[in-house]
Amino acid sequence: MSEPDFVTAVLEVVADIPPGTVMTYGDVASTVGSRAARAVGTVMAHYGSEVPWWRVVRASGHPAVGHEDRAVEHYRAEGTPLTRDGQRVDLAAARHRPV
DNA sequence: AAGTTGACTTTCG
DNA sequence: TCGAAAGCCAACT
């Protein structure tokens, strides 16, 4: 494709997110050396089927629109800290910070 | 080559 | 605290 390096980098970072933790699109983009948070979402929309996409959430802690229910099911199964709403992730406790 | 679209982020009201 | 507008980057037409 046009930028396979970008796609591979994103998939690699997402696959490196440990269970019970999450990362924002902006964090993933920053880890791959870019600020293209939207491009990360586009990659997930096409290649996310092969990676734990539910571990990638928005800056607000909400999962991808249209996939919130699927994501919450995974969070409960992995023990990811959620807010009292049960619809968004507690970034203060679940945000994964790469070294 | 130029313009539009998108699983986003941040700031202003 | 919630809602709308502008900004950024990569991919697609």
Side-chain angles (χ1 to χ4, degrees):
Chain A
M1 296 307 195
S2 305
E3 295 286 340
D5 288 343
F6 183 82
V7 175
T8 303
V10 171
L11 295 175
E12 195 67 15
V13 171
V14 175
D16 187 52
I17 302 175
T21 65
V22 298
M23 282 181 74
T24 67
Y25 290 94
D27 283 351
V28 175
S30 182
T31 303
V32 303
S34 264
R35 299 152 76 210
R38 306 190 52 162
V40 174
T42 303
V43 172
M44 301 306 299
H46 286 263
Y47 302 86
S49 315
E50 314 226 352
V51 293
W53 53 266
W54 58 86
R55 292 179 193 160
V56 184
V57 300
R58 299 189 276 178
S60 306
H62 285 101
V65 176
H67 295 250
E68 306 126 15
D69 297 280
R70 304 264 186 87
V72 170
E73 285 186 69
H74 284 289
Y75 300 147
R76 294 186 180 284
E78 296 184 358
T80 306
L82 303 175
T83 58
R84 63 179 178 80
D85 302 279
Q87 297 302 296
R88 72 160 237 192
V89 178
D90 184 355
L91 293 176
R95 193 180 183 199
H96 170 59
R97 320 177 251 292
V99 290

